[in-house]
Amino acid sequence: MSPRRTKLKDSGSEVALFQRRAVAGFLIIVVCLGVLAARFVNLQVLRHAEFATRADANRIKLRPIPPARGLIFDRNGILLADNTAAFRLEVVPERVRNMDALLDELRNVVPLTDDDIKRFQESRKGRRGFNSLPLRFRLSDDEVAKFAVNRWRFPGVEVVPYLTRTYPRGAEFGHVVGYVARIDEADLQKLDASRYAGTTHVGKTGIERFYENLLHGEPGYERVETNADGRALRVLDSTPPRPGKNLYLSIDVRLQEATEAIFEGKAGAAVAIDPRNGEVLAMVSVPSFDPNLFVNGISHTDYRGLLSSPLRPLLHRALVGTYKPGSTVKPFMGIAGLEMGVRQPGDTVVSTGEFHIPGQSRGYRDWRRGGHGRVGLVESLAQSVNTYFYSLALDMGIDRMTSYLGRFGFGKPTGIDLNGEGNGILPSKDWKRAMFDKPWFPGETVIAGIGQGYWVVTPVQLANATAILAAKGEHHPIHLLRATQLGFNAPVEPMPLARVDSSFIVKMTNWDLVRDGMVAVVAGPTGTAARVFADAPYTAAGKTGTAQRFSRTGDEVDKRGLTDAQRHQALFVAFAPAEQPQIALALVMEFGASGSADAAPLGRKILDAWLAPPPGTLAPTPTAAPPAMGPSR
Amino acid sequence: MIDTHLDRLAQAARRQLRRPRVDLPLLLALVLVGTIGLVTLYSAGDKDASIVINQGMRFLMGGVALIAMSRIPPSTLRNWTPWFYAIGVVLLVLVELFGEGRGSNRWLDLKFVRFQPSELLKLATPMMVAWYLHARTLPPDWRDLFTVAVIIGIPAGLIAEQPDLGTSLLVAASGAFALFLSGLSWWRIGGLLGLAAGAAPVAWHFLHEYQRNRVRMFMDPESDPLGNGWHIIQSEIAVGAGGVFGKGWHQGSQSRLEFLPEHTTDFVFSVFSEEFGLIGVVLLISLYVFIIGRSLWIAANAKDTYSRLLAGAIGMSFFVYVMVNGGMITGLLPVVGVPLPLVSYGGTSAVSLLTGFGVLMSIHAHRKALR
């Protein structure tokens, strides 16, 4: 008790005080509830006749009309995601006397899986028997006909037309476009119930998920007159739903097809970007899966098959696949060295086949035994001379390397419009301390200089970096959505392009030198991919890379039984035409022998498809404006 | 031997009957309201037995909690109060950080059980206020007033943030009632109400858009015939159509034809009014008045300040449920999600309400010796 207080607790007076208050409180409560009761008298006695009439005449209900989902097209208006008319089986539980018996009997007419029945029973929970609930989606014509004949046997069961999502190009866009699937419990928690009234499906992956908000639209309502039992008799009037927006992607189906074809089903990923505006022209991850399987609930066998496949088709390699960049980082290292003044354009090193950190015995090798002799930057890029970049990295130091290469977007998501992008790893002192709580060693700087060690990139990251390099240091944020359209008659509205900072490259002659080196890779006499682009009608600049699939220290896999090809991943980055780049590319082949032998020729096929298509097959459309016409259907 | 045992048992039974630990009139009234609730739910839930069974299970759990609480002496409860309150507030913060729930974060998933910590605070807040005032000289001064405001404000603010305006209101009211019963002078009460009125425009700023819409809609229900306004209009039609005698059990077309929203939870009172008419409504409200009055009578006979304030606050906050819910379904007050006590289906509200009455029973059992 505080000393301030002089009064003592007087329990007698407190009790009296309390009792006065209790009586006062009770009186207030009685008065309030009296007001409430008066309100009831007002409604139930004085205005009873009015409300009784209104209740009897209350035959009008609101019914949601789900909006049509926006369609998805490629940049030329080729359809990637469509709505097709289909039929589904719906049951009104209230009108079924014995649900189990009905379902058993119904199975003899229309095939129902145990999954269908389980989902249906789950959807019944917490809803009144009045609501019509879907039992099976996408009935075949045969099933519809068969049910129509037997319909009299199943009161309360009806065939209802609806729009279902289909993906006409199947697995080709399984990863990028993604798929919609039935709204599940987790979705219900997140979605605005009134906006999704009457809607059964929601975007789960890819563009379908990222742009769910644009694609979905707004539901409409119709006022329905019902009979005394509440069954709909006729529609009085309606507020039409507003359909979702049609999306035009920057992807070109023809380039996507050509890119997918080069893999011949072998695991890998490729991303092609227009460096002038950041548009993603092709984004391929092989193997893929058919998104149509997921729309109405994938069967357990199909799903187990996808999950257990050793090549992991559900993995979006281009977006989250992790790879060591290997020698593909050398052009970025080269420009970093020149721009920061660590190397002058005329500087050379002597490659003896083995590089040593002064005072250390461990040797860091060149790929050619005996070395490449005295070489400058251009030759070092062309022949992929490790020694040049070992010594450059050591002179630059890891901090400067990290900060300059960070400008090319390494080590962080590119911000492409897809969910769940991988981070990759740009090695740095901070990163290592956070990960392992260990200090940085100079040897780690040396191998980081040739894209080994802790490095990890995703294909989309590597493509983004290549695009920034091709754009001479300008960073155009990469994106898949090119334009939207509100309904077929509406104009196609291009997405506004992000404001672009000016180039971070100070001396363009530095860029020219790196480009010369990259041109020499694919066209020069000594380049690691010298013959590959020899007869191309355009000048390409590229860089090959090879990385070990398994780390030297990791013993989890027995490497002895594997061939060279199984041990290595082949990478290739390129842009073309070398003077005014229109396309930048990153390509990763899992199970490739080496970048030069395997990946570069495939990279050429992709660049050819865009820049020099065989006559009559593909006319490139690297135009600025999206198509003005509606889609051809 | 056997005889003496039997004797002892008989003696104990007689003692129990002469001076039972539970207050039988209060218990009877609660059972009556609960029975009315189950009967109404069976109709409102479209004769779905599972709803009645689930609700019956909750009543059973609540009954067990009531008996258990009635065995704990108020002095023990008082000692636990600060812990009880602190745990409740910590859980609220956890919910804020990790909670889940449709649209709002109310639920905490403890793996074996999911519950709403806000329910805990419905009891813990008046307990804490009573605990604090117990040690003070009453009537409270400005300093006490400030402390109590903090005690109430923390949980009420956290719950309003979830957002769960209804529960926040109940928590704040239960604490405020304890303060009122402690004898806070009418001038200060008037000042507080004036302050609250002045703060309303500020509060408006902090309301969620859907909450603002509810207030706007309350001012003019016809302005939103497709959303909340529609619900209120339909509810008023249901109540009015019930008339004096009601349409009869399971005869309410407004509920049966699904014109009423949430007809087993927030709007179950509309179903009841439609089917049982004004007679049913008056009976139910009388039962509620009896429960509140009986609680205040128990409070007036309680042994110490803590018990008095707590019992009174529990009884009076029961009134808030009835008033807010009844006001909502008749269009007298804006839509705030407060259940009709012991009638509305679901939630943990039935269990927490009966736990509160368990505390009342304990206070009753440990009342002052009769003079």
Side-chain angles (χ1 to χ4, degrees):
Chain A
M1 198 130 301
S2 76
R4 187 177 63 84
R5 244 173 233 280
T6 49
K7 281 188 300 180
L8 279 176
K9 261 182 105 67
D10 175 356
S11 58
S13 78
E14 275 188 16
V15 169
L17 180 61
F18 178 86
Q19 285 175 350
R20 284 202 304 279
R21 277 305 161 89
V23 170
F26 188 67
L27 285 179
I28 293 173
I29 286 172
V30 168
V31 167
C32 286
L33 290 179
V35 170
L36 183 62
R39 175 71 176 176
F40 274 99
V41 170
N42 176 284
L43 293 179
Q44 297 194 295
V45 181
L46 302 180
R47 294 169 70 187
H48 170 62
E50 172 199 340
F51 284 121
T53 318
R54 280 180 77 176
D56 282 342
N58 212 352
R59 296 273 180 271
I60 295 153
K61 269 191 187 169
L62 295 173
R63 231 166 39 178
I65 316 171
R69 196 174 174 82
L71 306 184
I72 304 175
F73 302 94
D74 87 334
R75 66 190 293 127
N76 300 312
I78 294 172
L79 198 57
L80 306 181
D82 193 10
N83 297 327
T84 44
F87 292 97
R88 67 182 172 209
L89 211 51
E90 289 194 349
V91 183
V92 181
E94 192 192 61
R95 288 173 62 190
V96 176
R97 209 161 300 146
N98 183 339
M99 186 61 78
D100 292 338
L102 175 115
L103 291 176
D104 279 347
E105 212 174 321
L106 195 56
R107 290 181 104 156
N108 298 327
V109 179
V110 177
L112 299 171
T113 63
D114 290 344
D115 278 355
D116 290 331
I117 294 196
K118 213 176 108 199
R119 279 205 198 95
F120 170 70
Q121 297 287 16
E122 268 166 21
S123 68
R124 283 180 68 189
K125 285 182 193 156
R127 304 229 197 149
R128 294 241 302 174
F130 221 82
N131 297 312
S132 192
L133 299 173
L135 174 62
R136 233 207 77 189
F137 291 94
R138 295 206 78 164
L139 299 174
S140 69
D141 289 349
D142 276 358
E143 287 163 349
V144 172
K146 213 171 160 197
F147 178 80
V149 175
N150 288 281
R151 195 181 154 191
W152 57 275
R153 288 164 58 199
F154 304 106
V157 185
E158 242 153 314
V159 168
V160 179
Y162 74 113
L163 288 176
T164 187
R165 199 69 155 174
T166 51
Y167 301 100
R169 304 197 77 89
E172 190 183 336
F173 286 93
H175 288 296
V176 172
V177 170
Y179 54 82
V180 298
R182 280 201 225 180
I183 292 175
D184 60 29
E185 197 67 35
D187 298 322
L188 279 177
Q189 305 245 344
K190 282 176 272 172
L191 298 174
D192 176 355
S194 66
R195 212 183 148 203
Y196 280 81
T199 299
T200 53
H201 286 66
V202 67
K204 296 279 188 175
T205 65
I207 288 288
E208 290 272 32
R209 173 166 168 207
F210 194 90
Y211 288 114
E212 171 66 28
N213 245 337
L214 293 181
L215 287 164
H216 179 64
E218 299 294 333
Y221 284 89
E222 55 187 4
R223 295 203 307 144
V224 186
E225 186 181 342
T226 62
N227 65 12
D229 290 334
R231 281 198 211 298
L233 293 180
R234 65 197 178 98
V235 176
L236 295 176
D237 56 29
S238 61
T239 315
R242 282 201 298 146
K245 283 187 169 174
N246 296 332
L247 305 187
Y248 287 83
L249 304 189
S250 56
I251 291 206
D252 190 307
V253 160
R254 294 163 298 186
L255 187 65
Q256 180 88 357
E257 263 177 355
T259 307
E260 194 187 10
I262 60 156
F263 286 97
E264 294 171 332
K266 280 176 281 183
V271 179
I273 297 170
D274 188 331
R276 296 167 300 178
N277 50 25
E279 289 179 352
V280 176
L281 304 171
M283 189 167 188
V284 168
S285 175
V286 182
S288 183
F289 60 91
D290 184 358
N292 290 302
L293 290 175
F294 286 85
V295 175
N296 291 304
I298 187 167
S299 74
H300 279 300
T301 20
D302 284 344
Y303 194 53
R304 222 174 299 124
L306 286 175
L307 278 185
S308 61
S309 165
L311 290 180
R312 301 174 66 196
L314 291 179
L315 176 72
H316 191 178
R317 289 175 160 77
L319 191 68
V320 297
T322 51
Y323 303 92
K324 294 233 176 295
S327 300
T328 55
V329 302
K330 286 174 182 169
F332 305 102
M333 284 295 295
I335 192 126
L338 296 175
E339 278 284 299
M340 288 192 290
V342 181
R343 287 286 179 276
Q344 294 306 313
D347 287 353
T348 57
V349 295
V350 178
S351 156
T352 61
E354 210 171 63
F355 173 79
H356 290 273
I357 299 175
Q360 287 187 17
S361 59
R362 180 177 168 183
Y364 299 87
R365 273 175 292 172
D366 270 313
W367 61 267
R368 182 185 290 168
R369 207 164 288 198
H372 305 264
R374 180 166 290 279
V375 284
L377 175 61
V378 171
E379 261 323 287
S380 296
L381 283 171
Q383 297 182 34
S384 203
V385 179
N386 287 348
T387 295
Y388 182 94
F389 297 97
Y390 287 146
S391 91
L392 171 60
L394 200 60
D395 292 348
M396 192 185 301
I398 187 65
D399 291 332
R400 284 200 279 175
M401 189 195 297
T402 306
S403 104
Y404 197 87
L405 295 191
R407 297 182 184 181
F408 287 100
F410 288 113
K412 55 179 182 261
T414 62
I416 190 171
D417 38 4
L418 290 173
N419 295 85
E421 190 184 352
N423 281 319
I425 297 165
L426 171 60
S428 72
K429 283 178 184 168
D430 288 343
W431 175 83
K432 192 185 177 193
R433 200 174 307 116
M435 265 328 258
F436 303 113
D437 196 22
K438 287 204 178 116
W440 187 265
F441 299 114
E444 292 168 335
T445 308
V446 171
I447 57 172
I450 61 159
Q452 300 289 353
Y454 298 118
W455 268 99
V456 170
V457 296
T458 62
V460 70
Q461 229 172 36
L462 196 56
N464 179 46
T466 309
I468 295 173
L469 183 64
K472 306 183 182 176
E474 274 178 18
H475 176 210
H476 299 268
I478 64 170
H479 54 273
L480 286 158
L481 181 61
R482 189 161 186 252
T484 62
Q485 181 190 32
L486 188 61
F488 289 117
N489 299 322
V492 176
E493 297 166 35
M495 294 295 287
L497 288 174
R499 278 241 324 267
V500 173
D501 297 333
S502 53
S503 169
F504 57 81
I505 295 174
V506 181
K507 267 177 83 176
M508 273 307 149
T509 50
N510 290 336
W511 186 86
D512 291 341
L513 200 64
V514 170
R515 182 210 47 208
D516 291 347
M518 290 178 74
V519 171
V521 170
V522 295
T526 55
T528 50
R531 289 168 300 281
V532 174
F533 282 83
D535 56 346
Y538 52 86
T539 328
K543 183 71 194 82
T544 58
T546 310
Q548 272 141 8
R549 279 172 59 77
F550 310 105
S551 68
R552 279 176 196 280
T553 50
D555 293 322
E556 66 275 16
V557 180
D558 186 6
K559 290 178 276 190
R560 282 167 300 183
L562 300 174
T563 64
D564 219 28
Q566 285 168 318
R567 261 193 243 177
H568 293 104
Q569 293 170 334
L571 296 94
F572 184 59
V573 296
F575 57 83
E579 305 76 28
Q580 290 298 326
Q582 295 172 20
I583 179 171
L585 169 75
L587 166 65
V588 177
M589 300 281 296
E590 294 181 14
F591 304 102
S594 75
S596 45
D598 286 354
L602 303 180
R604 160 137 195 215
K605 285 187 186 172
I606 300 172
L607 296 185
D608 278 356
W610 192 244
L611 297 171
T617 51
L618 184 145
T621 53
T623 49
M629 280 176 18
S632 50
R633 296 190 63 187
Chain B
M1 275 290 269
I2 294 166
D3 277 357
T4 52
H5 270 296
L6 280 179
D7 266 0
R8 256 187 231 162
L9 266 177
Q11 265 177 14
R14 265 198 298 276
R15 248 197 336 267
Q16 279 293 316
L17 277 178
R18 219 180 304 123
R19 200 169 170 186
R21 289 182 156 269
V22 295
D23 181 43
L24 285 175
L26 180 57
L27 188 67
L28 201 69
L30 292 175
V31 169
L32 221 54
V33 173
T35 310
I36 290 174
L38 291 181
V39 168
T40 312
L41 275 185
Y42 188 62
S43 168
D46 216 18
K47 299 190 173 172
D48 182 352
S50 69
I51 286 186
V52 176
I53 291 168
N54 283 341
Q55 185 77 345
M57 291 302 292
R58 290 205 183 90
F59 284 159
L60 222 59
M61 276 168 62
V64 170
L66 184 147
I67 300 291
M69 287 307 276
S70 73
R71 304 277 129 169
I72 303 172
S75 54
T76 314
L77 274 182
R78 197 175 74 223
N79 292 335
W80 291 353
T81 294
W83 295 107
F84 197 44
Y85 176 83
I87 289 168
V89 170
V90 167
L91 287 178
L92 274 186
V93 173
L94 287 181
V95 157
E96 185 76 9
L97 299 176
F98 311 108
E100 50 187 63
R102 199 169 299 183
S104 57
N105 296 333
R106 300 179 187 178
W107 296 87
L108 197 60
D109 195 346
L110 294 181
K111 297 300 164 211
F112 58 97
V113 65
R114 259 161 53 93
F115 82 114
Q116 301 184 17
S118 49
E119 290 293 334
L120 207 61
L121 268 305
K122 283 185 186 169
L123 203 51
T125 307
M127 280 171 91
M128 189 66 195
V129 174
W131 178 86
Y132 172 77
L133 293 174
H134 179 80
R136 315 297 297 175
T137 308
L138 300 180
D141 58 18
W142 281 114
R143 218 180 74 180
D144 298 329
L145 190 59
F146 178 76
T147 313
V148 169
V150 171
I151 291 173
I152 297 172
I154 292 171
L158 282 169
I159 294 167
E161 174 63 29
Q162 287 178 354
D164 184 351
L165 210 56
T167 308
S168 171
L169 186 75
L170 286 168
V171 166
S174 60
F177 285 137
L179 189 62
F180 168 80
L181 290 169
S182 74
L184 185 67
S185 79
W186 290 104
W187 286 113
R188 287 179 184 161
I189 292 173
L192 280 183
L193 290 178
L195 211 66
V202 183
W204 178 261
H205 181 75
F206 285 103
L207 284 183
H208 286 253
E209 194 53 37
Y210 82 94
Q211 292 167 330
R212 289 185 196 172
N213 281 338
R214 283 178 177 184
V215 177
R216 287 191 194 114
M217 178 276 306
F218 165 68
M219 303 295 181
D220 181 16
E222 307 286 341
S223 69
D224 178 26
L226 296 186
N228 283 316
W230 167 267
H231 294 166
I232 293 304
I233 291 169
Q234 293 303 330
S235 174
E236 284 186 36
I237 292 177
V239 173
V244 177
F245 302 103
K247 290 186 172 176
W249 188 51
H250 201 247
Q251 300 298 317
S253 63
Q254 285 294 97
S255 149
R256 219 158 43 78
L257 301 184
E258 294 223 309
F259 288 111
L260 279 176
E262 317 239 355
H263 34 221
T264 59
T265 54
D266 285 357
F267 283 87
V268 75
F269 204 1
S270 319
V271 179
F272 178 84
S273 313
E274 185 180 22
E275 299 189 348
F276 297 102
L278 185 64
I279 293 180
V281 170
V282 168
L283 176 78
L284 189 59
I285 291 183
S286 304
L287 276 172
Y288 284 132
V289 169
F290 176 79
I291 290 172
I292 296 162
R294 187 74 190 173
S295 304
L296 287 171
W297 181 82
I298 288 175
N301 289 303
K303 201 163 58 181
D304 55 17
T305 308
Y306 174 79
S307 308
R308 257 197 310 275
L309 295 182
L310 179 56
I314 290 172
M316 287 184 74
S317 51
F318 199 66
F319 151 75
V320 178
Y321 283 89
V322 181
M323 192 67 205
V324 172
N325 186 273
M328 170 180 79
I329 65 132
T330 55
L332 211 55
L333 297 174
V335 175
V336 174
V338 169
L340 187 65
L342 303 180
V343 179
S344 284
Y345 175 71
T348 33
S349 116
V351 180
S352 68
L353 271 168
L354 289 175
T355 310
F357 281 107
V359 174
L360 262 169
M361 297 299 184
S362 153
I363 291 170
H364 171 73
H366 297 86
R367 63 186 177 274
K368 286 183 292 195
L370 292 171
R371 275 170 288 192

